[in-house]
Amino acid sequence: MATKNTILPILTLFSIFLPLATSIDFNYPAVFNFGDSNSDTGELTVGLGFFLDPPNGQHYFKTSTGRFCDGRLIIDFLMDEMDLPFLNAYLDSVGLPNFRKGCNFAAAGSTIRPATPTSVSPFSFGVQVAQFLRFKARVLELLPEVCAGKKLSKYLPEKDYFEKGLYMFDVGQNDLAGAFYSKSLDQILASIPAILVEFETGIQKLYDQGARNFWIHNTGPLGCLPQNVAKFGTDPSQLDELGCVSQHNQASKLFNLQLHALCRKFQGQFSDANVTYVDIFTIKYNLIANYSRYGFEQPIMACCGYGGPPLNYDSRVSCGQTKILNGTSVTAKGCPDSTEYVIWDGIHYTEAANQYVSSQILTGKYSDPPFSDKMPFLLNLKF
């Protein structure tokens, strides 16, 4: 099997030119991230007080870190590329968390719209923005004490980091995926504008607070996740040529179309800001469609799960858990080599897949505006 490093470009031009704003060179003092499990570095597990069972975290960290993955997430690779440390979860209070270079508010299961009593996560996008506002206010309150000699400077961002920092977003997947359990496709498609009004409100609040650099991921192909194939793809007529649930991907595409239009609106409205839209859907769908070309062997089947082929996914037993099913004790175990799999646990991607996606993000071809090849900033990929 080809190694992942053989598929990665050696150099990438990593600057962005916006027609209505200044250029970005990814030389940021800090990153503030908002989202769901795609970029959660431990927020939900500490926020709700539970442990994420091994083999989560086995590949890179050698222990569970609260990431729903065998190793690193896309945001981890991007942080590394910016010469910044991995982000601490906002609520993680143990182990001397350091927020000097930013903070991560993303929590698994989070939605853009407000949480309901049945939501997996209470930390919806609006709550995450509110947490950031409190975080910023508290930092600004403490900074005079730093100047007075207290040893907080190495843990807190400088005041101007809030303006110069990068604000990253990867959220919306759960609004769509969760809706399919109780709504028709037409109802879901009709709800997208209201979801994005909520997102726009949060972005406006951050802009009003001085945020000027926005990096916004669209949502991936939901229909290709084993969780959705197992539940909604039992009728082969509901599947596309790759074995993905067509309706879920249709919802993702319309969401992304409207999100892209909103980002264009931001680009015109925030003339002193940088707003970059990143097409994660196309990168991930291309990976699933051409998995063998990139060194993978399983495009949809979960690495960590229970049930065996074709999906190795059972919603009753999450990755790493042992439960009694029909009187028998069963365990959702990890596969021997997760680098052969695109999907980790039926819902999230493996570190190897996240690495591939990150390498494609860094080509600049999947962004609006695309990274300009006329900029002098040259970057060596580190992974």
Side-chain angles (χ1 to χ4, degrees):
M1 185 185 77
T3 64
K4 299 302 176 293
N5 288 334
T6 62
I7 65 170
L8 302 178
I10 298 174
L11 296 173
T12 216
L13 291 163
F14 209 144
S15 294
I16 303 174
F17 175 73
L18 292 175
L20 300 174
T22 56
S23 63
I24 292 179
D25 64 6
F26 268 66
N27 184 23
Y28 298 108
V31 170
F32 305 101
N33 184 70
F34 306 81
D36 51 33
S37 56
N38 289 315
S39 58
D40 180 357
T41 55
E43 184 79 349
L44 188 70
T45 56
V46 297
L48 298 186
F50 71 93
F51 292 96
L52 197 57
D53 298 309
N56 287 288
Q58 67 176 12
H59 191 67
Y60 179 81
F61 300 100
K62 309 303 181 185
T63 186
S64 179
T65 63
R67 291 165 172 80
F68 289 77
C69 183
D70 58 321
R72 290 165 289 183
L73 307 176
I74 292 170
I75 190 169
D76 294 318
F77 287 109
L78 297 182
M79 292 297 293
D80 199 37
E81 202 58 47
M82 289 185 276
D83 281 326
L84 295 175
F86 296 157
L87 289 177
N88 278 117
Y90 170 65
L91 294 177
D92 196 354
S93 58
V94 179
L96 292 177
N98 193 321
F99 301 109
R100 176 74 173 174
K101 297 296 185 179
C103 184
N104 193 2
F105 302 90
S110 295
T111 53
I112 293 176
R113 301 188 87 171
T116 68
T118 58
S119 296
V120 173
S121 166
F123 308 114
S124 62
F125 182 57
V127 172
Q128 292 179 29
V129 171
Q131 289 175 328
F132 167 81
L133 298 181
R134 186 191 184 284
F135 173 83
K136 180 183 177 183
R138 183 64 174 145
V139 168
L140 297 182
E141 180 183 315
L142 290 171
L143 283 178
E145 297 183 23
V146 173
C147 296
K150 293 192 176 182
K151 297 179 180 179
L152 292 173
S153 60
K154 63 181 179 179
Y155 300 110
L156 301 177
E158 299 287 350
K159 180 179 180 180
D160 64 347
Y161 286 10
F162 292 106
E163 179 180 348
K164 295 178 179 178
L166 180 64
Y167 291 73
M168 302 181 74
F169 308 86
D170 191 327
V171 67
Q173 173 174 319
N174 294 313
D175 293 86
L176 301 178
F180 274 96
Y181 288 86
S182 60
K183 296 179 181 180
S184 68
L185 176 63
D186 286 343
Q187 289 174 319
I188 294 169
L189 299 183
S191 72
I192 291 174
I195 295 172
L196 290 178
V197 166
E198 195 80 26
F199 184 70
E200 182 177 10
T201 298
I203 295 293
Q204 183 68 56
K205 286 181 179 179
L206 294 172
Y207 178 83
D208 292 342
Q209 281 286 317
R212 290 298 181 268
N213 301 304
F214 300 91
W215 179 269
I216 301 171
H217 289 183
N218 71 11
T219 200
L222 297 179
C224 301
L225 298 176
Q227 180 190 55
N228 294 325
V229 177
K231 175 69 175 178
F232 301 98
T234 54
D235 181 352
S237 68
Q238 298 294 319
L239 304 177
D240 67 11
E241 65 276 7
L242 299 185
C244 304
V245 186
S246 299
Q247 289 194 350
H248 281 65
N249 283 351
Q250 185 179 341
S252 296
K253 289 177 181 178
L254 185 62
F255 176 87
N256 292 340
L257 190 68
Q258 295 185 29
L259 176 63
H260 194 180
L262 180 59
C263 289
R264 288 287 183 92
K265 177 183 175 182
F266 290 149
Q267 290 169 354
Q269 183 177 328
F270 304 151
S271 58
D272 60 340
N274 302 286
V275 180
T276 303
Y277 168 87
V278 185
D279 186 6
I280 299 296
F281 183 100
T282 296
I283 297 174
K284 287 184 173 179
Y285 196 76
N286 177 62
L287 170 59
I288 292 167
N290 301 288
Y291 63 95
S292 60
R293 181 185 304 173
Y294 306 118
F296 293 89
E297 296 184 11
Q298 296 292 343
I300 293 181
M301 187 167 75
C303 167
C304 186
Y306 171 75
L311 298 175
N312 194 35
Y313 178 80
D314 189 316
S315 61
R316 298 170 295 177
V317 192
S318 299
C319 175
Q321 291 186 343
T322 297
K323 290 192 174 181
I324 304 297
L325 298 184
N326 302 320
T328 303
S329 176
V330 301
T331 301
K333 299 178 180 179
C335 59
D337 185 358
S338 60
T339 67
E340 297 178 352
Y341 288 70
V342 171
I343 305 297
W344 169 238
D345 57 2
I347 307 171
H348 311 97
Y349 285 59
T350 60
E351 179 186 84
N354 288 332
Q355 179 178 338
Y356 167 79
V357 173
S358 301
S359 74
Q360 295 307 293
I361 291 172
L362 297 179
T363 66
K365 297 186 299 182
Y366 299 94
S367 299
D368 178 21
F371 304 162
S372 172
D373 58 4
K374 298 179 181 178
M375 293 295 176
F377 191 80
L378 199 61
L379 194 68
N380 284 305
L381 283 179
K382 297 178 179 177
F383 53 83

